[in-house]
Amino acid sequence: MSNLDDLYREIILDHYRSPRNRGELATPPACRAEGFNPLCGDEITVFIQVENDVLVDIKISGHGCSISQSSASLMSAAVKGKTLDQVHQAIATFKQLMTVHEANIDDPEPVAVDIRALGELAALQGVVKFPVRIKCAILAWNTLDQGLQDFVS
Ligand code: ZN
């Protein structure tokens, strides 16, 4: 498991040092949502552009701890170009990953979430060993969720 932990740490650091989809989009046509995690001081602004039920573009700005920023970067890479159904599914799966682990923190049984389907996002599963950091990891996802509500017709 320690090799896997090392790999996960590498992925998180890589996304922290070289965040994907960093920047802003013009609003409109894009819409923006802001999220704040007062426990840690993390701030995330998510810009999304949706066309024909596809999340055609996403940009992230903000600042905060390595977990919050790398989670935002991983999220942007995971959802860009996906249909809104797929995006909502990714949000649900990620939240489930955090929640399931939270409930089973000392339980070595495999979780009900399909880790393989998460790709690099699986790197964040180690965060749940530190419950205070879950809010850091989930901030970008909640912010994206909030932004998507503007596109509900
Ligand atoms: Zn944080």
Side-chain angles (χ1 to χ4, degrees), residues 86-103:
Q86 290 172 320
V87 174
H88 284 297
Q89 184 59 48
I91 293 170
T93 303
F94 187 78
K95 286 185 177 178
Q96 193 185 0
L97 177 71
M98 293 291 131
T99 315
V100 167
H101 275 79
E102 196 172 27

Side-chain angles (χ1 to χ4, degrees), residues 14-43:
D14 177 47
H15 277 264
Y16 180 55
R17 290 174 182 145
S18 310
R20 317 301 197 265
N21 303 299
R22 189 88 185 158
E24 301 186 355
L25 294 173
T27 54
C31 81
R32 59 179 278 167
E34 291 176 26
F36 180 53
N37 171 22
L39 285 178
C40 185
D42 307 316
E43 291 180 29

Side-chain angles (χ1 to χ4, degrees), residues 37 39-42 64-69 132-133 135-137:
N37 171 22
L39 285 178
C40 185
D42 307 316
C65 69
S66 58
I67 297 295
S68 67
Q69 302 303 307
V132 72
R133 310 310 297 278
K135 285 189 166 36
C136 302

